[in-house]
Amino acid sequence: MIKDGDFVAIFNSIHRVMEAERLLKDKQLKIQLIPAPRALAADCGLAIRYAEDVRGEVEGALAAAGLLPRDLYRKNGDGFVKIGDENEQA
């Protein structure tokens, strides 16, 4: 379940999302591999969900490993807001 305020990272391929999951779990960060929400239309069908309290660590680890997501969203009420496009809601 995605809670209000959670982040959802969408990747270009199943390989990248699985690699990101392994990296983050190896670092014992509190993340979860989830089916990508339909509203976000992920190519690989999977996404990584994480909360605000680990955002800096998660995104820092992904950046250091060259595994930045294709898109990043934040759950806001009944929809999702794309990070970088805060005025748009999916």
Side-chain angles (χ1 to χ4, degrees):
M1 179 171 142
I2 304 171
K3 298 176 190 158
D4 206 39
D6 280 354
F7 291 88
V8 177
I10 304 292
F11 293 82
N12 288 330
S13 70
I14 191 76
H15 173 75
R16 287 182 65 81
V17 75
M18 299 300 286
E19 190 175 347
E21 179 197 28
R22 186 180 70 245
L23 169 79
L24 297 170
K25 287 198 172 186
D26 285 350
K27 293 183 176 292
Q28 299 181 351
L29 294 171
K30 191 175 175 185
I31 59 105
Q32 185 174 18
L33 188 66
I34 61 168
R38 290 179 197 236
L40 305 183
D43 295 336
C44 71
L46 295 173
I48 291 178
R49 180 195 60 78
Y50 53 95
E52 174 77 39
D53 63 339
V54 294
R55 181 181 182 193
E57 293 173 277
V58 167
E59 293 173 13
L62 293 174
L67 284 170
L68 287 175
R70 180 192 74 201
D71 293 311
L72 181 62
Y73 295 88
R74 184 173 196 161
K75 178 84 163 115
N76 186 13
D78 291 335
F80 294 88
V81 175
K82 187 173 181 179
I83 303 301
D85 296 334
E86 280 78 8
N87 296 328
E88 295 180 28
Q89 186 156 337

